[in-house]
Each structure stands twice: as C-alpha cells, then as structure tokens.
Amino acid sequence: MIFLGRFLKFLTSFVLAALVAGVGVAATYGLKWTRELPDYRELDNLTRSLGAETKVFARDNTPLGSLIPRVGDQAISRTIVTLNEISPFMMAALISNEDRRFFEHYGLDPYGLGRQFQRAARGDSVQGGSTLTNQLIKNTLLLDEYQQARTADRKFKEWMLSVQVERFFTKEEILQNYLNAIYWGDGGPVELYGIYSAAQAYFRTTPKNLTLAQSAYLTVLVPRAGRYFDYKATRPLMRVLLTRMVEDHWITQAQMDAAWKEKLQPRGWQVTYDASGAVTSAKLVDRTQKELKAVTTVRAPHFMRQVENELVRRFGREKVYGSGGLRVYTTLDPKAQNAVETASREASGLPPGATLAATILNPYTGEVLGMIGQKLQGSKPPADWNNAAQGQRQIGSTIKPLLYTTALSTGLDQTHREEDRPITFPCVGCKDGVYAPQNFEGATTYRNMTIREALDRSLNLVTVRLADRIGLQTFFSKLRELDVAPNDGTGLAAALGAVETTPIKMAAAYAPFVNGGLYRAPRYLSKVTTARGEILYDASSEPVQPSRVWTPQIAWLGLDMIRGVVNDLTAAQGGLAERAKFGEWPVAGKTGTSNGPKDFWFVGTTPLYTGSVWVGRQQGGEMPTYYFSGYVNAPIWRRMMELAHAGQPVRQFSEPPGIQYVAAPDPQVLPGVKIAMLDPQYRDAANTDLQTDVPAPVQYRETDLATGSDPRTAMVSLDRVTNRLATEFTPPENIVQRRIEIDALPAYAPDPAPAPLKDEKADPDALKAAGVQGGAPVSIPSVTTPKTPLEPGTDPKTAPAPGTVQPATP
C-alpha cells in the first residue's frame, strides 16, 4: 500500500506537470528535453563540492588559511552545514516564506500553480509558485545552462528534475541542500551562497546561533538580496513573515512579539527602535561591513594568491575548488615571512607615494620562504596586487652581475679592462642615429679600468663595452636560461637594465651564484593531497632537476664580484651596497635603478638565503632624483635578512676547488682587495660553450640593421679588444663583423701607433698555461668540469657546524 501510494503521488505530479506544460509542447519537445536533463543524482555531489574547502599550511604545518571556491571567475563564500547546525527558526522561516506546503507536495505544488493560472487569466503578472525543490534545481543543476533565464524549456526541465529529486532525496536532504545553495547577496570580493555565509556576512554569527529576528531578516532577503539596502522597507516584510510563522504553528505569538522588539542591527546599518519595535531611524553607514574575503587567511595573502595560481595551473579549477577540497603544504617559512613583513612595516625612508615588494627564497631548493607584494601599513590589509610576483619592472643595474659573470664564462677574468669613456653605436630609430649610453648623472672617469672596479661603481660605459665584446646573442642566451629574457628588439640597453621582470625571478636568477651555478624556478608547493589523504603532488618524490647555467667555478667568480660590490668600497668611496651588511654574515649583492628613476632594487644573497627588494610607485612614474637604491633598498634588505638569520650560526659560502686569489690591480683604487681567479689547472671551468640550442640570431638595433642593406652603412671587421677596424695583426678569434655608418668609419680607424702586443716576446707555453693572448680571451675548445671537485653549493643549513669545515684562505 505504501508503494502504491508513493507511485500514485508521483504519477499525479508527473501528469500535472505535463498538463501545465501543454500537451502539444510536451509531444513536440518532451522527449528532447528529457534527453537533455542533467543527472539529478549529481545534486548532492554538486552542493558538497561547491562548499569544499582547500586548506593551506606553512612548511611547519601551521595553517595559513583557506581558498574560497569559485563559480566561473567569481569567488563565492559557501560553507556546507547540516540541519543540526542550523537554527530551527531559520528553517521554519524559510518554509513559511518560500514553500508553506513543502512537506506535503512531491516537488510541484498544485495550489501554487493553480494560483498562477488564475493570475494569468486575469492578466496579472505571474510570480512565485516555485517550490523549494524547484528553486534548488534552478540554482544548481540548471544554473550553468540557463543563468536564471526564464524560458519554457528551462521550466519544463525544472519540473521534471524536481519530481526525480523528490523521489531520490528525503525532504530533510532537499531542505539542507537548499539552505547551502541559495544566493544571499553580494559579499564584496565574494558572492554569498548558503546560510553559513549569510549568517557570517550579515550578523557575524553561525547558522546555529541565529535568533528568530535574524532568521526572519535573512529569509526576506532570499527573493531579492537587494532589500539589504532599504531596511525600512524590509521591516514590514519581516512582520508579515513572523505572522505567517504563527499561523503555521512554527512559533507562538509571544515569540513573535519578542522577535519584533529585538533591536536587530544588520552589518553596516545603524538602526534605532521605539519600545514597540518600530524603526525610528535607519542609516546605512558602511555597506562593506558585510563583505567577506575571497581568501580566508591570517597570514601572507600575496603568497597565498601565488599558491592558488599554482594550484589551478597544476591541477585545474575543478580539483582546487571542488572534489572535496585539497590540503596544501607550502614552502612558506613563518620566520622568514615575519622577517619580510617586519622589514616592510619598518621601512620609513621610501620616496613619496612609493610602495615595495620583497621576497626571500632558499637558493639551494628554489623554495619561496617569504613574500610581500605591497608596503605593509600597520594592521591595514595590503592591496591585492602582488608586485613581488606580478609586477614586471625594469631591473636596472641588478642585471650587470649576470652580464659580468657571462663575460667571465667566455674566458675573461676580473682584471680584464675596458675604457670608461663616451662611446656611440649606430642605431636605427635612435636620436641622431646613434645609441649613446652614459654613466649615472653623466660622470665619467676617462680611465681604462678593471671590470671588478667597474661593477663596484656600476659604470654604464664599461658595461656596454663589455656587452658588445661578448656579443648580445651570448648574453641574451644566458638571460633566457635564467628566465630573465629581454624583449624582442632590445639591444645594448638591456645590459644596463632595460629588461623587465619580477623580484621573485631576480632572486632566482641570483641563486646560482651561491648554489654552485644551478638554476631552479621559484617553488611554492611542497605537498598537495586530497581531503581524504590521496597524494597529488610531493616535491620530495617528484624533484625537478635544476639546469646548470654556470660551472661551480664561474658561479664563484660571479659571487666574488658581487661580494666586492658590498665590501670593496665604503659609501664615502662611492660604494653602492655597504648598507646591506649585517652582523658577521657574508653578504653579496647589487643595487639597481631604472631611468627616471622609476624603480629601485637590491638583490643579494648570504650563504643561507637569497632575496630581493623592489621600491617604486604602484602606477609607475618617476621618483625624486635624490633617492638612491643603496640608501632605500639596501637597509630594507638588511633588516629582513638579519631577522631571518636570527639564531642561526654564521656560515661561509661554499667555495669550489680551482679558485685562487690575487691582489686587485690598481691598489690605490681598491686597496687591500683580493679577487678570485681561476687556477690555471681549472681553465676548462670557463663555460665557453654557450650556443647550444640557441635560436636564430636576432637583429639588435644598436649594432645592426633590422632588414636589408643601407647604402649609408658598410659591414666591416672590428677588433673586439680595441673596438677599431681589424688589421692583419688582429688575432682571428678577436674579429667580429659589425655594420657601421660610412660617415662614422674614421672613428674606427686602427691605432696609428699601436703598442707592442703583449705576446710578442712572451713564452708561448706560459701564455697557454695562463690562457690569455694579448689581453684577449682564448677560445677554449670544450667545457669540462674537474673530475674530483668538492661538492659546491651545499646548503649551509645541512652542512657541518662552524669549525668543522674551514673556508678557503685567499
């Protein structure tokens, strides 16, 4: 009998649906619509997955926060709760307001439909009539297909699915799903879905603790969430609802009277009442008070956003925001993160209107340990834009160590000399047809100096000459390996920092200096599992092999040069980075300033951590010229590093074999400075084989024409050492082809009184052992690494304690 009764109930509902839809329409489209119906059994999974929470943890397993699910591109706030976690007042108010016969019908309410037909017959507008089951279907299974559009086929599918859902689910399950799925308005960065989000947004409470008055208020928002903005107009609707609840025997008259006199204060409103519960004044003072965050986190919002992006890229949106959520274990070190944040808050010497970005990473693993993307102001939340990982900014002179180390890898050494005097290069599209770089503020020494001194002083003229000597294709190839690729068409200006990238990528590009020459892309994730514990990613079992960009010896020579930037000269002597030093820790790094100045940089490393700090205006634009990166950025870098290193025993950089030290030339310029050189037995450690799998050469504007030939120019052979026309005495390995304007050829004439070549009287065997001929680089036939070197780039945190391993003595 029970089965027969349920069957007859189902049959009655189905027949009623068919009659309402129309016999003709049902005959024509019924079969088609039936075939297009989504699987009603997915309802339970859908509501559950939309409430899934992806939890994120730091490297010590302390929680960082949770990622809010999304529908399309819109973040939504939806936390799944059970009926046991919802106030009975809330359930009763919803049923009385939306579907008084919810427990009596079978998905379709014949009384409600009948009233709508009567209204249609009278010519009145048709509204309401939907059951809770209908609304649930519309807001879940049919949401993506119709986007709330009112069409005949949507309504027919809605009715068909409602009947199926009522057969498959209990009334309690349908009510629970409805309360978790319904839309409750705009929550600012997120859309409010479900009773948990509504209770949090409007009253900062839980669904379990909602009072009768609060429940009535939330219920009258269900048909139209915009009622929030007119509290006085909403108040009478609440009284009607409370009256209906008394009529339906959900509450008593005494409960209604008490609820009406409750001094309700929805978030953002200031409301006053008289003794009877009537509103005397209502003012919306701050609509944002009901807003919720897209990322629920107490720590590192910029880092969390990068984690979210990485998760979506690796696993897809559905896996991240659905499927029960994920458990994400990240690389963030709370101590390093606190160091970065503290340094940001304490940074007081920024140019007017400037913000900053900073990051610390482990140079031996590529793990990002700490990150901020904006200047932090007390407890005020930072802006969403992450300058550390999203902001592409010109890097200025921080690119120079990458160029100088590339030059060392071609066989030059730190004693190589270039002229610090004005120079021009033919340039189509440049002013007067030439590219004429200048030193900072136009200061020129007119000296022939070592590249060690030139990097210490960050001299542009020497740098451009060095870039032209080794060739842009060689330099750009190395930049691509370090993921700091220049834009197409960029010429020699790239050697001075006309390249845009992010602080996190610059830190990663400097990491090879300390880790033995290995590049690793920045990494945010350590392990990712499902909520059930299924491992989706584990960095320890899926290691990404680093790429070798320098040999250990060349990396050490580059490190020695940026140690010199910090230590060779005091600020009074023209040093740029002395303010980055802290305690007894060895420090190496480089300042950088883009034209304007628009961007200030400091990128540096210790044996433990590599980090970068950028300062500039969020929307771009120039800053006062009396600010300098050495004064602005270096102290911020120092502060975050000394906090991150606090409590750690001092370590030294891990030096590879094959290094020897000599006194710097020109002792009057760099007194007492010793510089690293390759041991002659390790000459093959110079990485000269740079052109593996290099794309076809690009025509760079400062040194060549884009296409075709120009009768105003001629292709000539230049001596790359003297930058003059080659002669019969020029060694073949020093000859390079350049297109020069004919009018400018006299400036490239050979020296009429050349000095004797250094190798004219030298012992050939000695020259071969030294690896130089006349001051020019020797072509090394192959790249080989010594067979028995020490293990360079060892992570100092896993190395023996101080005293057990002694650093090499210069």
Side-chain angles (χ1 to χ4, degrees):
M1 291 300 293
I2 295 176
F3 173 78
L4 180 60
R6 291 176 62 88
F7 176 75
L8 290 174
K9 193 176 181 181
F10 163 72
L11 184 61
T12 301
S13 299
F14 183 84
V15 171
L16 180 61
L19 289 174
V20 172
V23 176
V25 174
T28 306
Y29 296 102
L31 183 60
K32 173 180 179 293
W33 288 338
T34 301
R35 289 174 176 172
E36 294 175 352
L37 288 179
D39 187 350
Y40 61 90
R41 291 168 294 189
E42 288 297 314
L43 177 62
D44 203 25
N45 291 333
L46 182 62
T47 53
R48 186 175 295 112
S49 65
L50 287 176
E53 185 179 37
T54 290
K55 297 182 179 180
V56 184
F57 303 89
R59 68 188 302 117
D60 62 354
N61 292 335
T62 57
L64 291 178
S66 302
L67 303 182
I68 295 296
R70 293 175 180 263
V71 174
D73 292 329
Q74 179 61 55
I76 67 172
S77 180
R78 189 201 313 257
T79 299
I80 301 298
V81 292
T82 65
L83 291 184
N84 292 333
E85 299 172 300
I86 302 173
S87 166
F89 292 131
M90 186 66 229
M91 292 184 277
L94 192 68
I95 292 171
S96 283
N97 198 64
E98 296 296 309
D99 191 356
R100 299 178 83 172
R101 278 170 291 277
F102 173 68
F103 289 105
E104 300 171 14
H105 64 67
Y106 209 63
L108 300 176
D109 183 4
Y111 295 97
L113 291 173
R115 285 196 305 272
Q116 299 315 307
F117 278 116
Q118 289 178 352
R119 293 178 62 87
R122 295 196 303 264
D124 297 336
S125 62
V126 178
Q127 56 185 337
S130 292
T131 65
L132 288 182
T133 312
N134 297 159
Q135 295 180 45
L136 176 61
I137 298 300
K138 180 177 66 174
N139 286 281
T140 53
L141 296 176
L142 297 179
L143 178 62
D144 292 338
E145 183 177 357
Y146 291 99
Q147 295 295 316
Q148 303 289 356
R150 294 186 176 184
T151 64
D153 60 327
R154 193 216 77 186
K155 201 64 182 177
F156 184 83
K157 291 179 181 178
E158 182 182 303
W159 291 340
M160 293 290 293
L161 286 168
S162 295
V163 173
Q164 292 177 323
V165 165
E166 289 273 355
R167 292 178 60 203
F168 190 77
F169 295 95
T170 67
K171 287 290 187 180
E172 290 75 14
E173 289 173 324
I174 294 172
L175 180 59
Q176 177 176 298
N177 283 337
Y178 180 89
L179 282 163
N180 282 309
I182 198 66
Y183 175 68
W184 248 293
D186 177 16
V190 299
E191 296 292 310
L192 304 176
Y193 283 87
I195 183 58
Y196 185 89
S197 297
Q200 285 287 305
Y202 292 99
F203 297 110
R204 292 299 190 268
T205 188
T206 63
K208 183 75 172 178
N209 294 323
L210 286 170
T211 66
L212 175 56
Q214 292 171 337
S215 299
Y217 176 79
L218 292 180
T219 299
V220 299
L221 296 183
V222 170
R224 191 164 66 250
R227 289 172 175 171
Y228 165 81
F229 297 101
D230 192 349
Y231 185 75
K232 284 187 176 182
T234 302
R235 187 71 173 170
L237 300 176
M238 292 175 57
R239 189 171 189 90
V240 172
L241 172 56
L242 291 170
T243 301
R244 296 180 73 175
M245 294 180 70
V246 173
E247 294 172 356
D248 294 341
H249 305 292
W250 289 110
I251 60 174
T252 65
Q253 184 64 47
Q255 288 175 312
M256 172 184 169
D257 294 340
W260 185 248
K261 294 179 181 179
E262 182 180 326
K263 294 180 172 26
L264 200 65
Q265 300 289 333
R267 297 279 299 181
W269 280 92
Q270 285 183 355
V271 187
T272 59
Y273 304 84
D274 62 19
S276 66
V279 174
T280 57
S281 69
K283 182 180 180 181
L284 181 60
V285 293
D286 185 5
R287 60 181 293 179
T288 64
Q289 287 187 18
K290 74 175 179 69
E291 294 183 355
L292 301 180
K293 295 180 180 179
V295 177
T296 304
T297 177
V298 295
R299 293 301 308 275
H302 293 125
F303 181 89
M304 284 281 284
R305 182 61 65 196
Q306 289 306 114
V307 168
E308 184 176 19
N309 293 341
E310 177 66 15
L311 289 170
V312 172
R313 183 191 68 81
R314 185 180 290 270
F315 303 112
R317 303 179 67 85
E318 175 60 29
K319 182 71 77 173
V320 176
Y321 301 122
S323 304
L326 303 176
R327 300 297 175 261
V328 182
Y329 303 89
T330 71
T331 61
L332 184 132
D333 183 339
K335 181 180 179 181
Q337 180 65 25
N338 181 68
V340 177
E341 292 179 358
T342 301
S344 172
R345 288 191 175 92
E346 294 179 356
S348 58
L350 270 59
T355 184
L356 62 81
T359 188
I360 296 176
L361 58 77
N362 183 331
Y364 308 96
T365 63
E367 294 173 311
V368 179
L369 305 178
M371 169 190 289
I372 57 165
Q374 293 281 349
K375 172 76 170 74
L376 300 184
Q377 306 285 352
S379 60
K380 181 181 178 182
D384 288 338
W385 181 259
N386 183 357
N387 288 299
Q390 296 173 293
Q392 298 281 334
R393 306 285 182 162
Q394 283 202 3
I395 58 179
S397 294
T398 57
I399 201 173
K400 290 176 181 175
L402 308 181
L403 167 67
Y404 282 60
T405 308
T406 303
L408 297 177
S409 73
T410 67
L412 302 180
D413 59 40
Q414 297 189 54
T415 65
H416 174 77
R417 292 179 177 272
E418 294 285 354
E419 293 285 343
D420 178 34
R421 63 181 67 249
I423 188 173
T424 61
F425 298 89
C427 170
V428 176
C430 296
K431 182 180 179 181
D432 299 326
V434 296
Y435 172 59
Q438 292 183 323
N439 287 335
F440 180 68
E441 295 184 338
T444 308
T445 66
Y446 292 90
R447 290 196 292 111
N448 184 292
M449 66 175 61
T450 64
I451 60 173
R452 170 72 173 226
E453 181 188 352
L455 186 62
D456 284 348
R457 301 184 185 280
S458 198
L459 298 178
N460 292 343
L461 295 175
V462 171
T463 300
V464 172
R465 279 187 165 89
L466 187 63
D468 186 52
R469 180 177 305 283
I470 69 172
L472 286 178
Q473 191 64 24
T474 298
F475 179 40
F476 287 2
S477 173
K478 187 59 63 178
L479 290 182
R480 293 186 189 98
E481 293 179 32
L482 293 165
D483 198 21
V484 190
N487 297 327
D488 291 340
T490 304
L492 286 167
L496 306 181
V499 174
E500 294 182 345
T501 192
T502 64
I504 188 64
K505 286 191 174 183
M506 280 306 295
Y510 270 50
F513 288 130
V514 66
N515 69 23
L518 301 175
Y519 175 79
R520 294 176 175 86
R523 178 165 63 82
Y524 302 90
L525 304 178
S526 295
K527 186 177 181 180
V528 180
T529 73
T530 66
R532 299 182 301 273
E534 175 190 358
I535 296 177
L536 302 179
Y537 169 75
D538 189 343
S540 63
S541 61
E542 302 177 40
V544 177
Q545 292 300 318
S547 59
R548 179 163 292 286
V549 292
W550 320 111
T551 63
Q553 290 74 24
I554 293 300
W556 181 264
L557 297 183
L559 176 67
D560 188 60
M561 292 198 77
I562 57 176
R563 280 198 300 180
V565 173
V566 175
N567 297 288
D568 286 356
L569 302 172
T570 65
Q573 296 171 314
L576 303 173
E578 182 186 32
R579 290 172 178 81
K581 294 191 289 187
F582 64 95
E584 299 299 318
W585 283 92
V587 172
K590 182 71 181 74
T591 56
T593 305
S594 68
N595 287 339
K598 294 182 179 179
D599 306 279
F600 292 143
W601 290 81
F602 186 82
V603 187
T605 189
T606 72
L608 285 186
Y609 302 132
T610 304
S612 62
V613 174
W614 167 85
V615 171
R617 288 180 173 162
Q618 184 64 53
Q619 303 303 325
E622 297 183 1
M623 294 178 290
T625 57
Y626 50 83
Y627 283 88
F628 305 94
S629 54
Y631 288 84
V632 175
N633 295 55
I636 300 173
W637 187 93
R638 177 190 67 219
R639 180 58 174 155
M640 76 177 187
M641 284 298 185
E642 67 182 359
L643 291 173
H645 287 70
Q648 296 274 6
V650 175
R651 305 284 189 180
Q652 300 299 321
F653 292 111
S654 180
E655 180 178 321
I659 303 296
Q660 62 183 17
Y661 293 85
V662 300
D666 309 325
Q668 72 282 4
V669 177
L670 300 177
V673 173
K674 295 196 177 231
I675 60 176
M677 305 280 283
L678 283 179
D679 188 299
Q681 297 181 11
Y682 281 79
R683 271 293 168 183
D684 283 350
N687 184 9
T688 56
D689 188 12
L690 295 170
Q691 301 299 323
T692 57
D693 298 325
V694 174
V698 179
Q699 298 292 327
Y700 300 109
R701 69 183 186 209
E702 284 89 359
T703 57
D704 209 341
L705 295 176
T707 57
S709 60
D710 187 341
R712 299 172 299 174
T713 66
M715 186 69 73
V716 299
S717 297
L718 294 184
D719 184 334
R720 66 192 305 169
V721 175
T722 64
N723 205 37
R724 295 176 180 270
L725 292 174
T727 67
E728 64 271 25
F729 301 108
T730 304
E733 64 268 23
N734 289 353
I735 297 176
V736 293
Q737 299 298 311
R738 293 287 187 267
R739 187 176 294 277
I740 303 297
E741 289 190 357
I742 294 175
D743 292 344
L745 280 176
Y748 293 86
D751 190 345
L757 295 177
K758 294 182 180 180
D759 62 351
E760 287 183 350
K761 298 180 181 180
D763 183 348
D765 293 333
L767 285 175
K768 183 177 180 181
V772 292
Q773 291 181 350
V778 172
S779 177
I780 310 252
S782 62
V783 180
T784 59
T785 303
K787 295 182 179 180
T788 57
L790 298 176
E791 218 24 68
T794 304
D795 187 338
K797 288 179 287 187
T798 60
T804 60
V805 177
Q806 297 296 328
T809 303

